[in-house]
Amino acid sequence: MAVLKQLLTGIVVCCALQAQAQLSKGKDNAESLYNQAVQETKQEHYDKAISLSKQALEKQPDFIDQQLLLARLYMLTKQYDLSRKYFKAVLAKNPRYRDAYYYAINVELTTGRYAEAECYADEALSNFPGSPEFMRKKLGILDLQHKVYQGNEYAERLMSKYPEDTTVRNAYIEHYLLSGKYFQQLGNSSMARQSYDRVLLVDPRNPDAREANLSVALKGGNYQSALDQVNEALAARPGAYDLLMRKLGIEQEMHAYTDALLTLAEIQRRYPSDAKARTLATSLRLEAANYYANTDPYTLYAGVLGKDPGNREALDKLIGYSMTRGAYKEALAWINQGLKHRPADARLLAMKMDVLESDHKYSAAAALAETLFQRTPNAALRERLVTLQTASGRDYLAQQQYDLAAASFESALKASPNDSTALNLLANTYISQKNNTAALRVIDQALAYYPNNAGLLLKKSALLSETGKYEEAAAIARQLAARFPADDRLNNHLTDLYLTNGRNYMRAEEYDLAKQQFKQVLDVSPNNIDALDYMVNLESATGQPDSALYYADKALGYYPGNRDFLLKKASVLQDQHEYAAAAAITGELMNRYPYTQKYKTAYINSLMSAGTEYQRHQQPDSALLRFNQVLALHPKDSMALLYSINILNGQQRYDSALAYTTQGLKYYPDNEGFLMKRAITLENKKDFAAAALAADSVAKLHNTPENRDYHEYLESKTLKNQFGLYYLNSSFDYSGNKYNIATVEYRRFMKRGSYAFQVNYAGRQTGNGLQGLAEMYYTHNRSLYSYGMVAYSNKEVFPQWRAAYSIFKTFKKEIEIELGGRYLNLDSTSSISGVVSVAKPFGDFWVNLRGFVINESSKNYTAFNLTTRYFMNKRQDYLQLVGGLGTSPDDRSRLINFPNLSGLLTHSVGVGYQKVLHYRTTLGLYGTWINQKITDVGYQNQYDIYLMLQRKF
């Protein structure tokens, strides 16, 4: 049954992998076709690009980028209905796809459907509030529909929002040029001139606006204004032929023949060979003669005034004739001549004020108005003074002479403190100077007269926000929003205040206060995308993943399919260790936008986190599956490769682990980590020769002490032979005798253990002893091994026969139990012993307690040994301390006297040190003191020195 389950599981996995491969292949084909279509579009092979696009959509119908490309191709081939079909499909799936709005607007503009184009522009602006590109698009659409007044308002809004943006400035200029032309065609010269003046405010040298303004002035008979414009242009281009000719023509129209003749003389001086100027020299003089012949009254009055400078009637007539002709300079000259004789004449001063105002010399006119008002205060003069001071201030403001503008508005307010226009303009002047304190003072002054004025309150709120007083600003904005709940401008202002305040709190790391601001935004505007975005970020950053997830879900409720919020939700799920859910979102995003690298990276990160989580919970198969998914997307992912190698090694699937190391080394040929993993895997596989070769590569490329040491270790594992020399020196304090035992050993290592042969030599006065010994260690499995030994000697020194056998079993927590037996035959005495031991490591320490039950000549004895070792240098070297009670059959130094020692109370203490050099040579030095009780009060001592040398080859 278990085999059947495994078989069915394998079939299901294979089918799933095949389906996934087919799906991936389909997407790959769609992407390939899309890329080909893009290239064909660039080469203007539109029909071929359309064919490729259709094929791509057949393979992947929800390929949104491909749908948009097809919409563009149909637009380029003038198949507008088909183009609409696809950009509408794109916007239905993703209402925040910017390019789709561009194509939609362009298609409707091309086909003359301006109302539909405006709808798409408004829809784009609802998804991308304040976008300068879409605002410019909408302004252009309004111009095409001749919605001039609405366009003027929108142009001012756009310019105030992006005053430094060059493209916005150009759109503003283009709009007012079109507006001026439109009013010109309607014959409304006043509105046309206002439009061209708007252009000149932002671009004083704009040639189109200058030319159009001049044309409007000439057509409206305002010759003095036209002449002023030409003179201003001549100041920039002195001696320009076309400008001089235009000036001459205007002076002719004004009948200012004296000035015209001077201008003609200038033209002839600069252009002496000009035929037209030569022709005009005669015709202009004839025209002047005829004109003056028909203007006898003016000439007569001038003659009268020449003879009688104080004649008031003649002066009034001359001033009137000059004003009628628009000759303001001439009229001003006559007025000034009259004021020489009557400097305090109020009527002349009032006329002079009118002339100066008509000539746009508002500052001088205002000075006269103030003089007249001081003499005879009245409501009419006060109003005139305020109007002139305001006009003067506007003029200075247009020239960006803010100090003079402020002085003019202040003068107006002295005469009329509650004048709303002057108060507003003065506040604007201070705002332009960035003098927010003064601007607030003026606005408070205005609010004292107009406490409920929404415009003033809104301006104050904006200024308070600029000065960092966000709470005060928000309080005003809340009141306004409550008063005018349907006013989007006020609601948007309140929202902007909360957002700005929240951002400032974020910068100051006052996250709780920032959250309060963004929550207030959501109270006013629950679908505000910025506030939702900030709340997700803040809740996540402050360790509140549940709240972050709540706001992410809320945002997705308003903006389903929004890529940024989906990615944020996946990030929050990742923080909550919900890696499968995070991977589901990032995987879907990757499939929807296969060319966006960040979604692929996020999906890989989710899979990696899921894999490491499975590792921590001891679920290696699930972890391996996730790492395989990562490698399917990114075969070069080093961490996925390394983690997979570790898992496979832990499962003893060494061949699979080696395959991953090969893949890693393919992408990272000299990478120390992958080279080392290969060596370790080969070591686990017991292929020490190949492992040593791999470790040698590591040591050569990355020559560190650790890498050299590992190579030496693995190389030592390939050595099968070992030669040993041992020397034991025993001396006694109860006789002059001592003896030495020298041993030569050969050991052979094999796959399941080792076997060895020894020859022991010992000399005594009674004769020399030789002993041959054979022993073996044999590994049955990972937790069970045996030890066996047999020895034979000539009985001179050593026991004639000696044999031993023990079996060792390792249990949980590395506890090792030994059971075994020993046999000795010396002279006529035989001894049989049972052995039990327990061993356990404790960190770097190892402790072994061994007990013997010895039967000799029908008598039983016991012996015990406690051995403690402290390991060093990766458990190769150690210090040893041994304590013994009784004489054990494993003690070589006392086997010679074993029958004589049996049953004696014996204590022993030994210390030793073993050192391994380069995993090949082992050196050992041990010393033991043995104390034996021979009578009730008598003791004897034995001292052993044991030397050891082993060498692998």
Side-chain angles (χ1 to χ4, degrees):
M1 191 65 180
V3 173
L4 181 59
K5 282 185 178 180
Q6 291 178 358
L7 182 60
L8 288 173
T9 303
I11 291 170
V12 170
V13 170
C14 289
C15 291
L17 292 174
Q18 185 176 3
Q20 184 180 6
Q22 290 296 327
L23 182 60
S24 177
K25 181 179 179 183
K27 289 183 179 179
D28 290 343
N29 289 341
E31 291 165 9
S32 176
L33 290 166
Y34 170 76
N35 291 331
Q36 292 177 49
V38 169
Q39 295 304 317
E40 295 296 339
T41 304
K42 289 179 180 177
Q43 298 175 34
E44 300 184 6
H45 300 159
Y46 300 137
D47 291 338
K48 189 171 182 180
I50 289 171
S51 176
L52 290 166
S53 298
K54 288 180 178 179
Q55 293 176 47
L57 286 175
E58 286 177 3
K59 296 182 179 296
Q60 191 178 342
D62 61 345
F63 196 165
I64 193 169
D65 292 339
Q66 179 62 79
Q67 289 177 323
L68 188 62
L69 176 60
L70 196 51
R72 181 187 171 203
L73 287 166
Y74 282 131
M75 183 182 71
L76 291 171
T77 55
K78 301 182 180 180
Q79 300 179 68
Y80 299 118
D81 289 337
L82 289 173
S83 181
R84 287 189 186 96
K85 171 186 172 183
Y86 283 100
F87 68 63
K88 285 180 179 178
V90 171
L91 289 173
K93 291 177 184 175
N94 185 0
R96 289 183 59 80
Y97 206 137
R98 293 183 79 102
D99 290 350
Y101 288 109
Y102 287 118
Y103 295 146
I105 292 169
N106 290 342
V107 165
E108 302 304 356
L109 288 177
T110 304
T111 55
R113 296 168 47 152
Y114 302 133
E116 287 80 359
E118 187 177 355
C119 287
Y120 280 117
D122 289 337
E123 190 176 340
L125 284 166
S126 71
N127 284 286
F128 307 99
S131 166
E133 295 85 358
F134 288 123
M135 289 183 77
R136 293 201 312 271
K137 280 281 187 185
K138 180 169 180 179
L139 179 59
I141 295 167
L142 292 172
D143 287 339
L144 288 170
Q145 297 179 88
H146 302 300
K147 295 181 179 179
V148 180
Y149 295 101
Q150 190 176 347
N152 289 348
E153 183 182 347
Y154 205 77
E156 293 301 327
R157 178 181 167 191
L158 179 60
M159 190 64 179
S160 65
K161 194 172 183 67
Y162 302 102
E164 305 299 327
D165 191 317
T166 304
T167 57
V168 168
R169 181 172 169 273
N170 292 338
Y172 181 88
I173 290 170
E174 181 65 23
H175 162 74
Y176 275 111
L177 286 174
L178 290 171
S179 173
K181 186 176 181 182
Y182 174 75
F183 284 122
Q184 264 188 286
Q185 291 170 349
L186 294 177
N188 191 338
S189 58
S190 175
M191 291 300 296
R193 187 166 57 253
Q194 286 183 27
S195 294
Y196 295 131
D197 286 344
R198 284 288 180 185
V199 175
L200 294 171
L201 278 175
V202 297
D203 186 8
R205 298 191 179 280
N206 187 281
D208 294 332
R210 282 178 172 274
E211 185 68 27
N213 230 353
L214 183 58
S215 174
V216 170
L218 290 171
K219 191 172 182 181
N222 192 351
Y223 297 121
Q224 186 59 48
S225 175
L227 186 60
D228 290 342
Q229 292 181 51
V230 173
N231 283 332
E232 187 179 346
L234 279 168
R237 295 167 55 205
Y241 178 80
D242 59 327
L243 293 174
L244 287 169
M245 278 297 186
R246 181 161 286 181
K247 180 179 179 181
L248 176 60
I250 295 169
E251 288 169 339
Q252 276 184 276
E253 292 291 335
M254 294 173 68
H255 304 296
Y257 293 109
T258 302
D259 292 338
L261 288 169
L262 289 173
T263 303
L264 179 60
E266 175 71 9
I267 294 171
Q268 288 177 319
R269 183 179 66 80
R270 289 182 178 274
Y271 306 98
S273 59
D274 185 65
K276 185 176 180 180
R278 285 197 302 272
T279 303
L280 284 172
T282 302
S283 63
L284 183 61
R285 285 178 171 81
L286 287 172
E287 185 180 332
N290 291 330
Y291 175 77
Y292 287 122
N294 296 322
T295 54
D296 287 340
Y298 185 89
T299 306
L300 289 172
Y301 284 125
V304 170
L305 200 63
K307 293 178 181 180
D308 183 8
N311 189 288
R312 184 60 182 263
E313 182 183 353
L315 181 63
D316 288 346
K317 291 291 183 181
L318 288 170
I319 293 170
Y321 285 132
S322 298
M323 290 287 287
T324 302
R325 295 186 321 197
Y328 300 117
K329 289 182 180 178
E330 188 177 295
L332 190 61
W334 291 121
I335 292 169
N336 287 334
Q337 185 175 332
L339 286 171
K340 286 179 183 178
H341 299 283
R342 293 183 292 277
D345 189 301
R347 188 165 174 272
L348 285 175
L349 288 171
M351 291 175 69
K352 183 174 182 178
M353 179 176 68
D354 292 340
V355 171
L356 289 170
E357 182 181 8
S358 298
D359 203 22
H360 304 296
K361 292 182 171 59
Y362 302 113
S363 182
L368 282 175
E370 188 169 7
T371 301
L372 290 170
F373 179 71
Q374 288 172 353
R375 287 183 186 177
T376 55
N378 58 67
L381 275 175
R382 178 186 286 109
E383 184 180 351
R384 189 72 185 281
L385 173 59
V386 171
T387 300
L388 287 171
Q389 290 286 17
T390 303
S392 174
R394 286 184 190 273
D395 199 34
Y396 285 131
L397 200 58
Q399 300 169 39
Q400 298 184 356
Q401 298 185 53
Y402 300 118
D403 291 337
L404 293 174
S408 295
F409 297 135
E410 292 279 10
S411 297
L413 290 170
K414 285 179 183 177
S416 179
N418 66 341
D419 187 89
S420 60
T421 303
L423 286 166
N424 251 314
L425 289 170
L426 181 58
N428 291 344
T429 303
Y430 286 133
I431 290 169
S432 299
Q433 290 179 297
K434 306 297 183 186
N435 188 349
N436 294 333
T437 303
L440 278 170
R441 173 180 57 77
V442 174
I443 290 172
D444 285 336
Q445 181 182 339
L447 286 169
Y449 298 109
Y450 312 102
N452 295 319
N453 185 284
L456 289 171
L457 288 167
L458 182 61
K459 192 172 289 187
K460 181 176 181 179
S461 177
L463 278 171
L464 288 169
S465 175
E466 285 288 327
T467 57
K469 298 177 180 179
Y470 299 107
E471 290 300 330
E472 294 179 47
I476 295 172
R478 277 194 294 271
Q479 293 173 8
L480 287 171
R483 282 174 56 195
F484 307 100
D487 192 327
D488 290 339
R489 183 181 57 147
L490 297 176
N491 287 325
N492 290 338
H493 173 66
L494 179 59
T495 297
D496 289 341
L497 278 175
Y498 286 140
L499 287 172
T500 302
N501 206 13
R503 292 187 192 103
N504 290 331
Y505 281 131
M506 284 176 65
R507 280 193 287 271
E509 298 184 4
E510 296 284 353
Y511 299 127
D512 290 334
L513 294 175
K515 288 180 190 178
Q516 292 176 16
Q517 298 298 314
F518 297 134
K519 285 177 181 177
Q520 287 178 306
V521 173
L522 294 174
D523 290 340
V524 177
S525 177
N527 65 339
N528 186 279
I529 193 167
D530 293 324
L532 288 167
D533 185 55
Y534 286 131
M535 284 305 295
V536 176
N537 293 343
L538 281 170
E539 298 290 10
S540 182
T542 54
Q544 303 293 328
D546 291 336
S547 296
L549 195 60
Y550 165 77
Y551 284 107
D553 286 333
K554 188 175 181 180
L556 288 168
Y558 291 113
Y559 308 101
N562 182 282
R563 291 181 282 180
D564 294 332
F565 284 120
L566 283 169
L567 194 60
K568 286 180 186 295
K569 180 176 181 179
S571 177
V572 174
L573 289 169
Q574 189 97 345
D575 293 339
Q576 290 183 306
H577 306 295
E578 298 286 345
Y579 302 119
I585 294 174
T586 52
E588 177 61 25
L589 282 171
M590 184 191 71
N591 292 331
R592 282 169 55 191
Y593 307 100
Y595 300 108
T596 305
Q597 184 60 38
K598 68 177 178 180
Y599 301 135
K600 183 177 180 180
T601 302
Y603 182 49
I604 288 173
N605 289 340
S606 299
L607 292 174
M608 286 296 296
S609 298
T612 52
E613 183 76 2
Y614 281 129
Q615 276 188 297
R616 281 193 293 272
H617 289 87
Q618 304 299 316
Q619 295 176 272
D621 291 334
S622 298
L624 193 60
L625 177 61
R626 295 298 179 271
F627 297 139
N628 283 336
Q629 288 176 306
V630 171
L631 293 172
L633 293 168
H634 187 215
K636 295 183 180 182
D637 194 292
S638 58
M639 294 308 298
L641 287 166
L642 289 170
Y643 288 151
S644 298
I645 293 167
N646 291 342
I647 291 171
L648 292 167
N649 268 323
Q651 294 177 330
Q652 299 182 23
R653 295 164 61 186
Y654 303 125
D655 290 334
S656 297
L658 285 173
Y660 279 107
T661 62
T662 301
Q663 183 176 341
L665 290 169
K666 172 186 174 183
Y667 297 118
Y668 311 100
D670 297 333
N671 182 273
E672 183 177 5
F674 286 113
L675 288 168
M676 187 62 77
K677 288 294 180 186
R678 180 172 181 80
I680 291 170
T681 305
L682 290 166
E683 177 192 358
N684 292 338
K685 197 180 177 183
K686 307 298 183 186
D687 190 350
F688 296 113
L693 190 62
D696 184 47
S697 299
V698 178
K700 286 178 179 177
L701 288 169
H702 306 279
N703 190 12
T704 64
E706 294 79 9
N707 290 342
R708 290 196 301 272
D709 181 76
Y710 185 54
H711 171 242
E712 290 174 352
Y713 164 74
L714 289 176
E715 198 170 47
S716 72
K717 291 287 187 178
T718 66
L719 304 176
K720 303 299 182 183
N721 304 293
Q722 178 177 285
F723 172 76
L725 289 176
Y726 309 91
Y727 176 73
L728 174 65
N729 175 272
S730 297
S731 57
F732 314 94
D733 64 357
Y734 50 88
S735 71
N737 292 333
K738 66 178 180 178
Y739 65 87
N740 305 310
I741 301 176
T743 303
V744 177
E745 179 189 75
Y746 166 75
R747 183 175 296 277
R748 175 73 178 182
F749 296 96
M750 56 185 184
K751 188 174 183 180
R752 285 189 171 271
S754 68
Y755 58 87
F757 301 100
Q758 289 183 0
V759 175
N760 297 298
Y761 171 79
R764 296 181 74 177
Q765 293 178 351
T766 57
N768 297 325
L770 283 173
Q771 182 187 56
L773 181 147
E775 70 176 12
M776 173 178 282
Y777 288 91
Y778 185 79
T779 301
H780 303 282
N781 53 48
R782 295 182 65 181
S783 63
L784 191 68
Y785 70 95
S786 294
Y787 166 75
M789 181 272 293
V790 62
Y792 177 77
S793 74
N794 59 3
K795 297 194 299 182
E796 289 296 328
V797 177
F798 301 102
Q800 183 177 10
W801 287 98
R802 183 175 172 224
Y805 176 78
S806 287
I807 187 164
F808 298 84
K809 172 71 175 178
T810 302
F811 297 91
K812 290 182 179 180
K813 299 184 180 180
E814 299 182 87
I815 297 173
E816 185 180 82
I817 303 294
E818 174 193 7
L819 294 174
R822 304 288 186 265
Y823 171 76
L824 288 174
N825 179 269
L826 183 64
D827 296 330
S828 59
T829 304
S830 294
S831 169
I832 297 175
S833 307
V835 182
V836 177
S837 74
V838 179
K840 173 82 170 71
F842 298 93
D844 291 330
F845 288 91
W846 177 83
V847 178
N848 176 271
L849 176 62
R850 176 172 284 153
F852 299 89
V853 177
I854 306 164
N855 179 272
E856 181 184 334
S857 303
S858 302
K859 293 181 180 180
N860 293 320
Y861 309 102
T862 57
F864 300 94
N865 283 336
L866 179 64
T867 303
T868 301
R869 291 177 181 171
Y870 173 68
F871 287 97
M872 301 168 287
N873 189 23
K874 299 179 183 177
R875 303 185 72 82
Q876 296 180 83
D877 308 336
Y878 61 79
L879 288 169
Q880 178 174 282
L881 176 64
V882 181
L885 180 64
T887 301
S888 80
D890 287 347
D891 190 342
R892 295 178 64 202
S893 70
R894 284 178 281 176
L895 291 182
I896 294 172
N897 296 322
F898 188 79
N900 301 323
L901 302 175
S902 297
L904 295 180
L905 180 60
T906 304
H907 300 84
S908 63
V909 177
V911 295
Y913 175 67
Q914 177 179 294
K915 175 70 176 175
V916 178
L917 304 174
H918 301 291
Y919 300 99
R920 293 195 177 196
T921 303
T922 305
L923 301 175
L925 173 63
Y926 305 87
T928 305
W929 167 65
I930 302 161
N931 178 263
Q932 298 163 343
K933 185 176 182 180
I934 53 177
T935 65
D936 290 341
V937 294
Y939 294 87
Q940 61 185 22
N941 297 302
Q942 176 180 335
Y943 305 96
D944 291 345
I945 299 295
Y946 183 65
L947 301 175
M948 178 182 72
L949 168 64
Q950 295 174 339
R951 174 72 176 179
K952 288 184 176 180
F953 61 96

